Amino acid sequence: MNLAYDYPLLAALGTMLWFFLWIMWFFLLFKVVLDIFRDDSMSGWGKAGWCLFVIVLPFLGVFVYLLARGKDMGRREQEQAIRQRKAFDSYVREAAGGARPSSSDELAKLSELRNRGDITPEEFQRAKALVLSGDDGTDRTGSATTSVPH
């Protein structure tokens, strides 16, 4: 240890190493505690026992928990990430797809355009047929197949 005090840079590096190790220790401790509560297969008494063990003897409790349940810990983490991804994807689909107007709204707009003279009766009939068939006027590539004014 005297070598570290002869060279102040080594003392600073040693302090940073210990600080980093403490941060990692707390990260691991909180991760284990969160995993205890995330586990649905464990009973309430089991969760209480593991929490008591981890709180009373933290180093030994975390070490034993990682040995006994570490494999399942990674599986639960993956399952939660998949659930969060599915929820996010579902939210994005819902938010992006919810803006499409109903058929009756589209027919009312088409009727208004025909009454103002913006479209001809033939264009109205073609657009009306598209709306009633449920086709959105695009082919599989996404390019427009008809010129339907909205």
Side-chain angles (χ1 to χ4, degrees), residues 91-107:
Y91 171 75
V92 168
R93 272 193 298 280
E94 180 183 314
R100 183 172 169 89
S102 67
S103 302
S104 60
D105 291 338
E106 288 185 29
L107 288 174

Side-chain angles (χ1 to χ4, degrees), residues 33-51:
V33 170
L34 288 175
D35 187 67
I36 290 171
F37 288 107
R38 182 184 298 147
D39 189 6
D40 293 332
S41 66
M42 195 182 326
S43 69
W45 288 107
K47 290 179 183 183
W50 275 111
C51 282

Side-chain angles (χ1 to χ4, degrees), residues 91-123:
Y91 171 75
V92 168
R93 272 193 298 280
E94 180 183 314
R100 183 172 169 89
S102 67
S103 302
S104 60
D105 291 338
E106 288 185 29
L107 288 174
K109 288 178 185 178
L110 284 172
S111 177
E112 184 181 324
L113 287 172
R114 183 191 57 183
N115 291 340
R116 286 191 313 208
D118 292 339
I119 60 172
T120 65
E122 294 81 24
E123 290 173 330

Side-chain angles (χ1 to χ4, degrees), residues 4-49:
Y5 292 109
D6 290 340
Y7 299 99
L9 182 60
L10 282 178
L13 288 175
T15 302
M16 288 186 341
L17 176 68
W18 280 110
F19 183 72
F20 175 75
L21 289 174
W22 274 105
I23 295 294
M24 291 304 295
W25 160 247
F26 281 115
F27 177 77
L28 183 61
L29 179 67
F30 291 133
K31 192 121 175 117
V32 165
V33 170
L34 288 175
D35 187 67
I36 290 171
F37 288 107
R38 182 184 298 147
D39 189 6
D40 293 332
S41 66
M42 195 182 326
S43 69
W45 288 107
K47 290 179 183 183

Side-chain angles (χ1 to χ4, degrees), residues 116-135:
R116 286 191 313 208
D118 292 339
I119 60 172
T120 65
E122 294 81 24
E123 290 173 330
F124 173 76
Q125 291 302 326
R126 275 189 282 150
K128 179 178 159 187
L130 283 174
V131 168
L132 293 176
S133 71
D135 189 13

